Amino acid sequence: MHIPIQISPDNPEPLYHQIQVQLKELILSGHLPEGTLLPSIREFAKDLSCSVITIRRVYQDLENEGILRTRQGTGTFVAKVGTVTREQYRKEAVVEAMKDALRSGLRVGCTIEELKQLFEEALLEITNEGQGTPMNRQRGTDNLEMKGSTTEVPGLAKAAVEPEEGGNGNE
């Protein structure tokens, strides 16, 4: 079985971390469903042109998290991942991506208000491109209304632009 993972030696993240993050994402997003047999450690290492030790570490770490399970003599399988875990991962992934974007904006001197406006513009642009997922349409976020300078996404814009602890918001 081929698993669509892309690793880059130019990426500052260690190879095992690149693989672990992508494999975890594939599992928690449902692209690798429960019970899926993963390649053997040797086969996966060969496919990715990396060390067997690297893949062993990835499998072991994900097994410790309860995402994978290994059966002696049978192989490594995707474990049952509950809806709560999937939802928590989904939200954490989005919040982390937003924090990274906000940190970038603060580093280049954007104000909180500018960041809010940029967020609203980007969200509106994406939803107008028709790239909203079916899930967004179910939640009613595909056709956002602009009221004043705040997009009506409950709690999202406010939470996304608050500075981290100890920060003054102008870093």
Side-chain angles (χ1 to χ4, degrees):
M1 163 184 226
H2 172 73
I3 298 183
I5 290 183
Q6 301 294 318
I7 57 174
S8 169
D10 298 330
N11 188 325
E13 294 288 336
L15 285 180
Y16 85 89
H17 185 67
Q18 292 179 49
I19 297 165
Q20 183 176 347
V21 165
Q22 290 178 59
L23 184 56
K24 184 176 182 178
E25 184 176 289
L26 288 168
I27 293 166
L28 293 177
S29 68
H31 286 91
L32 291 175
E34 175 187 353
T36 300
L37 175 64
L38 297 180
S40 71
I41 290 171
R42 289 187 192 287
E43 183 183 346
F44 204 14
K46 184 180 175 191
D47 288 348
L48 295 176
S49 301
C50 68
S51 163
V52 168
I53 295 167
T54 299
I55 301 303
R56 182 176 293 126
R57 180 175 179 186
V58 168
Y59 278 15
Q60 190 171 34
D61 287 353
L62 293 178
E63 189 167 4
N64 290 340
E65 287 185 44
I67 294 172
L68 297 179
R69 58 182 151 75
T70 301
R71 284 191 230 140
Q72 195 66 29
T74 308
T76 302
F77 297 85
V78 174
K80 181 177 182 175
V81 180
T83 307
V84 172
T85 303
R86 287 185 197 277
E87 187 67 17
Q88 180 181 357
Y89 174 77
R90 186 179 69 84
K91 287 180 181 179
E92 285 174 2
V94 171
V95 168
E96 282 307 310
M98 292 172 92
K99 283 181 179 179
D100 288 344
L102 293 167
R103 284 185 194 105
S104 294
L106 291 171
R107 275 195 300 273
V108 297
C110 290
T111 66
I112 301 284
E113 286 305 313
E114 286 174 318
L115 290 171
K116 286 179 184 178
Q117 184 61 37
L118 290 170
F119 171 81
E120 292 168 1
E121 289 171 8
L123 185 59
L124 192 58
E125 183 178 321
I126 288 170
T127 56
N128 285 340
E129 288 174 357
Q131 291 185 9
T133 63
M135 191 67 117
N136 288 347
R137 285 188 281 280
Q138 289 173 359
R139 291 186 178 139
T141 58
D142 235 13
N143 298 316
L144 297 174
E145 290 182 28
M146 298 292 283
K147 293 183 180 179
S149 66
T150 303
T151 303
E152 295 300 314
V153 179
L156 193 55
K158 228 180 225 182
V161 293
E162 291 188 42
E164 290 188 3
E165 283 185 36
N168 63 10
N170 293 321
E171 297 171 348

